[in-house]
């Protein structure tokens, strides 16, 4: 599987049993989904007159469904794809918490999935994925291939700057333990300009790049003008 790093799969498979523990090792992702991810997606779609209800949405690297579920609960027709069997099982089991919630979870790489699902989706979300794969271009190319013309792509990930190393790796991971130790490799972080350049080559126009910040004192995420540590990128497929 082109972009899949087996070490990353193994790392996150070990957390499968506590994926939905709001105070466990995935706590930061749960908080991020509520405060940053979902509002970013909703506002991005609303800026072009769209709402989630009825849209076909693909969640790339869906893990245990932390983002897929709220999107589906807001009315989207969601498909989640992830190469980790244990996490897909977690996602499939957890959606049963919501009566009638029907999310199509697929255990596969985005590259393999895209082969049979070209131009199928109105929106694609790729949250905290790019910093865990071996080939960012491959993931973005396959993601864009699944998008209809005019479809929206939402990416959230870490920037690769000196300050992101200090704050995300040293402070949040090593000193405070807010992020599980060893969760990230700074060299795998991706600058937003690199993502935008790749997407431009793939026929997508970047609409917005906005920052996010996690306060270790208030234990809250908030939007920020500063993109040097964490950012969200919204693009539209034009061709």
């Amino acid at each position: 599987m082109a972009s899949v790093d087996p070490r990353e799969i193994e790392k996150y498979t070990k957390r499968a049993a506590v994926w939905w523990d709001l105070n466990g090792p995935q706590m930061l992702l749960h908080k991020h989904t509520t405060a940053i991810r979902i509002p970013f997606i909703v506002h991005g779609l609303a800026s072009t007159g769209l709402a989630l209800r009825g849209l076909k949405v693909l969640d790339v690297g869906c893990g245990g469904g932390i983002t897929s579920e709220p999107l589906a609960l807001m009315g989207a027709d969601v498909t989640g794809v992830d190469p980790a069997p244990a996490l897909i099982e977690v996602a499939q089991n957890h959606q049963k918490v919501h009566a009638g919630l029907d999310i199509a979870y697929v255990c596969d790489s985005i590259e393999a999935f895209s082969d049979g699902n070209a131009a199928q989706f109105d929106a694609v979300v790729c949250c905290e994925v790019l910093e865990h794969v071996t080939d960012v271009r491959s993931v973005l190319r396959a993601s864009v291939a699944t998008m209809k013309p005019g479809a929206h792509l939402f990416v959230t990930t870490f920037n690769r700057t000196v300050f992101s190393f200090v704050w995300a790796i040293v402070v949040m991971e090593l000193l405070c333990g807010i992020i599980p130790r060893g969760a990230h490799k700074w060299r795998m972080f991706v600058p937003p300009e690199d993502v935008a350049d790749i997407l431009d080559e793939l026929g997508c126009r970047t609409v917005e790049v906005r920052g996010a910040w996690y306060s270790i004192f208030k234990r809250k995420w908030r939007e920020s003008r500063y993109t040097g540590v964490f950012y969200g990128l919204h693009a539209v497929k034009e061709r």
Side-chain angles (χ1 to χ4, degrees):
M1 293 186 285
S3 62
V4 178
D5 185 339
R7 294 168 297 182
E8 294 294 308
I9 299 298
E10 181 182 3
K11 180 194 306 180
Y12 284 95
T13 293
K14 290 178 180 178
R15 300 177 199 163
V18 292
W19 201 264
W20 281 93
D21 181 352
L22 301 184
N23 296 307
Q26 301 301 103
M27 174 194 69
L28 207 64
L29 287 183
H30 285 282
K31 289 186 175 183
H32 181 261
T33 298
T34 302
I36 302 296
R37 287 184 188 178
I38 300 302
F40 181 52
I41 295 165
V42 171
H43 293 162
L45 292 172
S47 69
T48 58
L50 294 175
L52 274 168
R53 183 163 297 278
L55 290 188
K56 290 191 66 175
V57 178
L58 177 64
D59 184 4
V60 177
C62 64
I66 290 176
T67 302
S68 296
E69 282 196 15
L71 293 175
L73 288 168
M74 295 177 73
D77 178 4
V78 179
T79 298
V81 59
D82 197 283
L87 298 187
I88 289 294
E89 183 178 358
V90 167
Q92 290 172 330
N93 288 333
H94 194 272
Q95 71 173 315
K96 298 173 185 175
V97 171
H98 308 282
L101 192 64
D102 186 17
I103 303 169
Y105 286 113
V106 180
C107 186
D108 212 341
S109 68
I110 181 57
E111 290 89 350
F113 178 83
S114 68
D115 285 343
N117 293 278
Q120 293 296 308
F121 294 92
D122 302 300
V124 173
V125 300
C126 185
C127 298
E128 283 63 68
V129 172
L130 297 187
E131 72 270 27
H132 297 292
V133 300
T134 60
D135 191 337
V136 170
R137 184 180 297 273
S138 178
V139 170
L140 291 175
R141 182 187 300 111
S143 297
V144 170
T146 68
M147 297 164 61
K148 300 175 182 177
H152 296 257
L153 174 65
F154 298 92
V155 173
T156 60
T157 190
F158 286 95
N159 200 344
R160 190 173 67 245
T161 64
V162 172
F163 195 58
S164 72
F165 177 80
V166 173
W167 191 250
I169 303 296
V170 177
V171 176
M172 295 179 72
E173 190 171 317
L174 299 180
L175 295 181
C176 297
I178 298 170
I179 300 174
R181 185 180 289 257
H184 298 105
K185 297 181 178 67
W186 179 78
R187 61 178 174 78
M188 295 177 73
F189 290 180
V190 190
E193 54 270 25
D194 289 2
V195 175
D197 286 347
I198 294 170
L199 291 175
D200 181 64
E201 295 172 9
L202 297 171
C204 295
R205 172 177 56 90
T206 296
V207 175
E208 180 183 22
V209 178
R210 66 169 65 175
W213 181 259
Y214 184 78
S215 170
I216 60 174
F217 306 107
K218 296 182 178 180
R219 298 183 180 182
K220 290 182 178 181
W221 281 99
R222 63 176 174 82
E223 291 184 0
S224 172
R225 294 181 180 179
Y226 183 62
T227 60
V229 175
F230 196 91
Y231 66 92
L233 184 148
H234 173 201
V236 175
K237 185 175 183 178
E238 294 190 320
R239 64 180 191 274

